[in-house]
Amino acid sequence: HQMTLGGGCEICLGCDRVQPAAETYIGLVEVGVGLIPAGGGCKELCLRAVENIPHDVEVGTLRFIGRAFETIAAAKVSTSAQEAVDMGILRAHDRSSPNHDHRIADAKNLVLGMLKAGYAPPRERRDIRVPGRAGVAALSNIAWTLQQGNYATEYDLYLARKVAYVLCGGDVPEGTLVSEQRLLDLEREAFVHLCGQEKTLARIQHMLTKKKPLRN
């Protein structure tokens, strides 16, 4: 409910079902402080982007991954729970609670219903089809075009390329099947790398002192 940003969003992404308030501002805003989502945020948006593609259908996944890339790289935030579904942050089966006072009760009833239906924890996916290095190049080119048009800084471009690398599964051929753990490893590696960058540290310091993002 209310402002569900960054790590708060990632907690929701890690859940099997979410019962948000109808008026929920939710999104992954880590690039604003020079980082990328590394609590499963990149992995979950990648998974949501491709999870409804039938396994027996050979189709390029880049156009689906592209929406997740735009959501993270542009630090997009929904203005409602329904918009979060449209953005791919929440799933279509995540129903919102128009009455804020009923949200906890609605969530409790949802969990009890899942239990009655025989809920079992999902197994780790090891068959996530990713665009690989071809997808990284394509998404990086989109970010480069925005940077050339002065819609993004050079460091925004650097961060966008990191996001693209994680979402596309890293340096692998197009169509490679990867596991959830590989995507988690990639996002953690990128996060740790960015923590040592001067411009990231400057963004974090600026946010802590000025309460607004730094465009460096």
Side-chain angles (χ1 to χ4, degrees):
H1 67 283
Q2 298 177 5
M3 304 295 285
T4 309
L5 308 174
C9 175
E10 289 182 294
I11 289 174
C12 296
L13 292 173
C15 298
D16 294 302
R17 296 288 295 271
V18 181
Q19 185 71 40
E23 295 183 6
T24 298
Y25 293 78
I26 184 170
L28 297 167
V29 297
E30 285 84 350
V31 295
V33 289
L35 297 168
I36 71 167
C42 291
K43 183 264 290 186
E44 283 297 326
L45 253 63
C46 176
L47 187 59
R48 282 161 168 71
V50 302
E51 65 183 351
N52 293 321
I53 302 175
H55 295 301
D56 57 347
V57 175
E58 290 292 333
V59 60
T61 57
L62 179 60
R63 65 190 181 97
F64 301 97
I65 295 293
R67 182 174 71 165
F69 171 75
E70 183 180 353
T71 298
I72 297 174
K76 288 190 171 183
V77 176
S78 77
T79 57
S80 68
Q82 182 55 54
E83 187 178 8
V85 173
D86 297 338
M87 291 169 60
I89 295 176
L90 298 179
R91 292 184 167 101
H93 61 226
D94 291 324
R95 305 300 183 186
S96 61
S97 298
N99 189 324
H100 183 76
D101 294 334
H102 294 172
R103 182 171 45 87
I104 299 299
D106 292 342
K108 179 179 178 179
N109 290 331
L110 173 60
V111 171
L112 292 174
M114 292 169 64
L115 180 64
K116 186 176 181 179
Y119 169 80
R123 294 183 178 181
E124 178 191 350
R125 289 279 303 274
R126 299 178 180 272
D127 58 350
I128 305 169
R129 191 182 305 164
V130 294
R133 62 180 69 96
V136 176
L139 295 178
S140 296
N141 188 58
I142 293 174
W144 178 83
T145 301
L146 291 174
Q147 190 268 327
Q148 291 297 299
N150 293 322
Y151 293 103
T153 67
E154 287 189 10
Y155 200 60
D156 289 330
L157 174 59
Y158 184 78
L159 294 168
R161 285 172 171 162
K162 291 293 184 183
V163 173
Y165 189 80
V166 175
L167 292 178
C168 293
D171 188 15
V172 295
E174 183 178 2
T176 297
L177 301 181
V178 302
S179 66
E180 292 183 56
Q181 187 59 54
R182 171 166 173 81
L183 295 176
L184 287 171
D185 291 343
L186 288 172
E187 67 177 40
R188 182 182 62 218
E189 179 183 349
F191 183 91
V192 172
H193 169 78
L194 291 169
C195 283
Q197 301 302 304
E198 288 186 9
K199 289 190 175 182
T200 287
L201 297 176
R203 288 192 177 196
I204 293 173
Q205 182 66 24
H206 193 271
M207 180 65 76
L208 289 172
T209 57
K210 305 294 185 181
K211 308 301 180 183
K212 59 183 180 180
L214 172 66
R215 296 295 305 279
N216 58 351

